[in-house]
Amino acid sequence: MRRIDKKSAGWNDDHDDYMLNTAADGGCVFLMSDQRCSVHAELGPEAKPEGCQRFPLGLVGTPSGGRITTEHRCPCRTMGDRPDIDPAATEPSIMDGGRLYADRHIKHVPLTSKKDLKFDEWEALESKVLARLQGRESLAKILDAEPFPKLRGSSWEKQADEFIDARDGSQFGVAMAWVGDTILSLQNGHVPRPPGRPWEAAFDRAEARSPNVKTSRDVFGDWIADEVWALKWAEEYHFALARTELATRLAIAEDICARLRGSGSRADRAAAEAVMMVEVVGESDFWSEVKDRMRVS
C-alpha cells in the first residue's frame, strides 16, 4: 500500500504493527467519493491487501470439509435479500497463491473447559442450534447463558470506561463509544447521549436498496448463526464461554437497536447497525481482553 501511496500506511504504536491510515472522515484513505475502493478500481482486486480481498468471506478447514464463512461487518451482509452463497464463486476471494487458504483448521470442538467433542459429535449438536436460530425462539433462550459474567481483575464499568476512552476520531472509535456507553447503561441504568452514527452513509445506501423490511430478530439470529458456524471461538475458547460472550454482545446489540429504533430507524437497519458495532468491537484487542477476563463455570 505504501508503494501505491506513501502516506497511506505507517507504524502504529498501539497495534505494534504497520496499519492503514484513515481519512478525515474516519474511513479508508483509498475510498473514492462514490465509496468504491480506488485500489480495486485502478489496479484490480489482486492489488488489495489480503484482508480486503477475502472480506467478508472466509474458509475453515474441518474433518467434514471446508466451510465458507461470512463476516457481518458490512451492511451488504446484514440488510436486504441475499442470494445463497455459491462455494465455487467464492474461490477467487479465499485463495492465496492460486490455492484455497483456510483461516483456521478445527479438528475437535471444546464444549466446556473439561470436555471436548469429536467433530461429528459437534455437528450433531450444532445442527440443532442452527435450526433453532433460524426459527422464532428467543435468542437468549437458545444461547442459554447469562450475559455480563463477573470479570477477573476488573469490572464491566471499568471496561466500559476504557472503551469510551478509545475514541480516536475514527468510525471504530465511535462504535467503541456506543458499546462502552451501552454497557454502562445496562449496568447502572443511565442512558447517555448517542455518540453519533458510525458508517451512517453506508447504511443509508443499504436501506435504499433494501425495500423488504426484516425483523431485528432475523438480523440478530443470522449473525449469531454465522458466529457459531465460523468456529473462530473454538481456536481459543470452549462453547460455554462462546455462548456467554455472544449473550453479552447480543444484550448490547439489542439495547443499541432499541435506542436506534426509538430515533425512527427501521427495525432491520437498527439491528444491522448494532451488529456492525458489536462485531467490529468484538474483533478488537479490547474485547479479547474482556473475553480473557470472563468467569464462566
Side-chain angles (χ1 to χ4, degrees):
M1 294 299 99
R2 284 173 59 83
R3 284 197 293 269
I4 297 172
D5 180 350
K6 289 184 178 180
K7 296 181 179 181
S8 67
W11 184 261
N12 186 295
D13 290 332
D14 291 335
H15 292 275
D16 196 30
D17 201 354
Y18 287 98
M19 304 287 290
L20 280 173
N21 293 322
T22 56
D25 64 357
C28 176
V29 294
F30 288 108
L31 277 181
M32 298 188 292
S33 59
D34 61 1
Q35 300 298 302
R36 291 186 303 135
C37 171
S38 62
V39 178
H40 188 127
E42 297 169 9
L43 301 173
E46 65 278 358
K48 296 190 295 186
E50 179 184 319
C52 297
Q53 289 184 47
R54 294 175 78 86
F55 184 82
L57 300 169
L59 178 65
V60 182
T62 79
S64 296
R67 288 185 170 197
I68 303 298
T69 65
T70 62
E71 307 279 358
H72 286 242
R73 289 173 284 153
C74 181
C76 65
R77 178 64 187 85
T78 49
M79 291 191 69
D81 297 322
R82 299 175 305 277
D84 291 338
I85 291 175
D86 177 5
T90 68
E91 289 186 0
S93 295
I94 56 177
M95 283 187 171
D96 183 27
R99 300 180 63 183
L100 290 174
Y101 173 74
D103 301 291
R104 66 195 68 90
H105 294 272
I106 304 295
K107 295 182 178 180
H108 57 84
V109 176
L111 186 65
T112 67
S113 60
K114 298 180 179 180
K115 182 177 181 180
D116 283 1
L117 293 181
K118 295 180 180 178
F119 200 77
D120 59 345
E121 296 174 321
W122 163 251
E123 286 182 306
L125 171 63
E126 179 191 53
S127 64
K128 296 178 182 178
V129 174
L130 294 177
R132 292 172 69 189
L133 287 169
Q134 298 307 311
R136 302 262 59 88
E137 189 177 359
S138 162
L139 296 173
K141 183 178 180 180
I142 297 170
L143 289 173
D144 190 24
E146 286 294 324
F148 300 104
K150 291 183 178 180
L151 301 178
R152 298 183 185 90
S154 187
S155 68
W156 284 103
E157 290 84 355
K158 181 179 179 180
Q159 296 299 140
D161 287 338
E162 290 183 6
F163 284 10
I164 295 170
D165 290 341
R167 289 170 296 183
D168 57 2
S170 68
Q171 302 296 300
F172 168 76
V174 179
M176 287 285 287
W178 263 100
V179 171
D181 278 348
T182 303
I183 291 172
L184 289 179
S185 174
L186 292 171
Q187 295 297 305
N188 60 31
H190 173 67
V191 180
R193 296 191 307 273
R197 301 278 284 266
W199 305 288
E200 184 174 11
F203 283 99
D204 286 342
R205 294 191 298 274
E207 182 174 352
R209 65 173 180 262
S210 307
N212 297 326
V213 180
K214 295 188 175 182
T215 68
S216 57
R217 201 276 183 202
D218 286 335
V219 175
F220 289 138
D222 190 39
W223 163 60
I224 292 175
D226 275 335
E227 288 282 319
V228 173
W229 171 260
L231 293 170
K232 191 178 296 185
W233 50 270
E235 287 186 297
E236 300 180 13
Y237 306 104
H238 48 78
F239 191 49
L241 176 55
R243 292 190 350 257
T244 299
E245 185 270 336
L246 280 171
T248 302
R249 280 200 286 158
L250 174 63
I252 296 169
E254 288 180 331
D255 191 79
I256 293 174
C257 177
R259 289 159 64 188
L260 292 175
R261 290 201 69 183
S263 67
S265 291
R266 268 172 39 173
D268 56 346
R269 171 167 178 170
E273 288 192 49
V275 166
M276 179 82 160
M277 293 185 221
V278 297
E279 183 159 296
V280 166
V281 172
E283 290 291 315
S284 70
D285 291 339
F286 293 91
W287 193 256
S288 293
E289 178 183 339
V290 171
K291 284 190 289 188
D292 290 339
R293 292 180 181 275
M294 285 184 178
R295 298 174 62 180
V296 178
S297 61

